[in-house]
Amino acid sequence: MKSCLYECHVMHARFAPRVHRFVYRIFLFALDLDELSDLDRRLRLFSVERRNLYSFRDRDYLPTDAPTGASLKQRVLDHVAKAGVATGGMRVLLITLPRVAGYLFNPVSFYFCISADGTPVAAMPEVTNTFKEMKPFLLGPQTLLPDGRFHLRVPKHFYVSPFSDVDVAFDFQLRLPVERLSIQIDDYVGDERTLTSTLSGRQRPLTDGRLAWLTLVYPLITLKIISLIHWQAFRL
């Protein structure tokens, strides 16, 4: 199984309009979209398209104009193919937090498209705001640096926070996760960096035992995330 978990630190450091920094811990699922049915059969605490403590529902991700019934993997590959990327034999790894006790909120999920020989080909952050609006940002093969990072600075044109204008730029630096997860997203106004966010974590096995333990350590984690967002906004 290529699917796993990552136990992570999230760090946000804001430089404008005022200096503000915080760190908190979460965990995330790394789901190989070809393994969903196997995970559904193997795990008691995780289900696909049905209720459970942790439940994955295809419709929660990447709404597109694809034909009704197209799987999430197919929607991702269709989106990537529109940028001229050959998608034959490609795997898709999704870094996300599925529904927890029926409740869903992901500030950002990440898709990594991987060729049959294990080479990273494309990455796609899917940003979600507190109004549940989603926007994907595609990082194609041309954004892959020699050190293995995908890097792209792109205008946001999307409401994320009342403390950031919609016309600032996202600067994405994403590395295909293996033993460790390493992601950085910065906000830029012109050449000035106004915010940096990092997500770093260590790989854990995706088992019922590990899920039970992480549930005790991070109870109702989706509610924790949305509560922290509003708490930090209140402090600002």
Side-chain angles (χ1 to χ4, degrees), residues 62 75-87 90 92 108-114 120-127 135-144 150-156 170-174:
L62 197 62
R75 299 199 303 273
V76 171
L77 295 183
D78 288 348
H79 194 79
V80 172
K82 290 178 181 178
V85 180
T87 59
M90 190 175 286
V92 177
V108 58
S109 296
F110 303 91
Y111 304 88
F112 290 91
C113 300
I114 307 157
V121 177
M124 187 166 63
E126 182 180 53
V127 180
K135 183 174 181 178
F137 297 85
L138 179 61
L139 285 70
Q142 72 278 6
T143 69
L144 184 61
F150 290 95
H151 180 227
L152 177 67
R153 188 177 299 183
V154 60
K156 182 164 55 175
F170 275 141
D171 189 277
F172 294 105
Q173 297 186 61
L174 314 177

